[in-house]
Amino acid sequence: MEIEVVEGDITQQDVDAVVNAANRRMRGGGGVDGAIHAAGGPEILADCVRRFPQGLATGDAGWTTAGLMPARWVIHVVGPNRNAGETDRSLLTSCYRRALEVADGLGARSIAFPLVSAGVYGWPKEDAVDAALETLRATPTSVELARMVAFGRPAYELIAARLG
Ligand code: AR6
């Protein structure tokens, strides 16, 4: 699998699936979650309610329609909330591994990721990048392209440097 980084907005990515940094309730929120629901329209929330009546566990992933976005699917993951004491790193790497498993189940060949937990949930950005890259490199998958979408220039420089 090729891993690349672009600077931009994940809602605009022309890939099979975009990953959302959601929360356990799976009913929308701020940050990238808010941007994805706004860009995709109300079908995403309707699908979340239908498919995830009990929400989703931390570290897990599940898909919905991408609504009006160019992508076909949103793969929602729930990263650990470090600001609420969820410091177990395996909950973060699990998000990337489970997202690829869900992508394989859908037959997705290209997938775009935000930096899960690196915003409101307070995971240190350097380690959020390393957790993403090491898990994407280590997980067997039929996905051919994983695109890290950096929101702003500093995030781009950080990911590009660690991608090597
Ligand atoms: N495209 C790509 N990346 C983005 C975008 C975008 N449009 N917008 C923000 N980011 P966060 P978390 C980056 O806070 O830390 C929500 O309310 C952002 O710069 O969105 O996992 C959920 O509902 C950061 O690097 O997610 C949850 O309650 C990264 O996306 C909670 O926040 C993740 O920041 C999840 O917190």
Side-chain angles (χ1 to χ4, degrees):
M1 181 176 68
E2 184 189 343
I3 305 174
E4 65 177 19
V5 57
V6 301
E7 182 186 348
D9 177 348
I10 204 163
T11 66
Q12 306 300 313
Q13 303 300 312
D14 190 7
V15 288
D16 293 334
V18 296
V19 172
N20 182 22
N23 58 61
R24 284 198 302 258
R25 285 191 63 242
M26 285 279 283
R27 298 296 180 265
V32 71
D33 196 4
I36 282 173
H37 280 268
E43 263 310 302
I44 297 180
L45 180 58
D47 221 11
C48 282
V49 170
R50 243 185 331 260
R51 299 178 44 80
F52 304 99
Q54 313 299 329
L56 204 57
T58 303
D60 203 0
W63 65 272
T64 66
T65 176
L68 301 170
M69 288 187 288
R72 287 181 69 185
W73 302 287
V74 176
I75 298 175
H76 304 261
V77 302
V78 182
N81 184 353
R82 222 164 189 285
N83 292 329
E86 292 180 318
T87 57
D88 180 355
R89 193 173 186 267
S90 70
L91 293 170
L92 182 55
T93 56
S94 169
C95 289
Y96 291 90
R97 195 182 60 254
R98 285 285 304 129
L100 290 176
E101 287 170 5
V102 170
D104 280 339
L106 292 165
R109 291 292 178 263
S110 56
I111 181 169
F113 288 92
L115 273 183
V116 179
S117 289
V120 174
Y121 279 1
W123 205 276
K125 289 197 194 314
E126 289 78 6
D127 194 51
V129 174
D130 290 345
L133 296 179
E134 73 191 39
T135 308
L136 293 175
R137 285 175 175 137
T139 305
T141 176
S142 298
V143 173
E144 292 160 1
L145 173 68
R147 178 180 296 165
M148 297 302 303
V149 180
F151 198 57
R153 201 67 197 170
Y156 176 83
E157 303 287 359
L158 180 69
I159 297 170
R162 292 178 114 75
L163 192 53

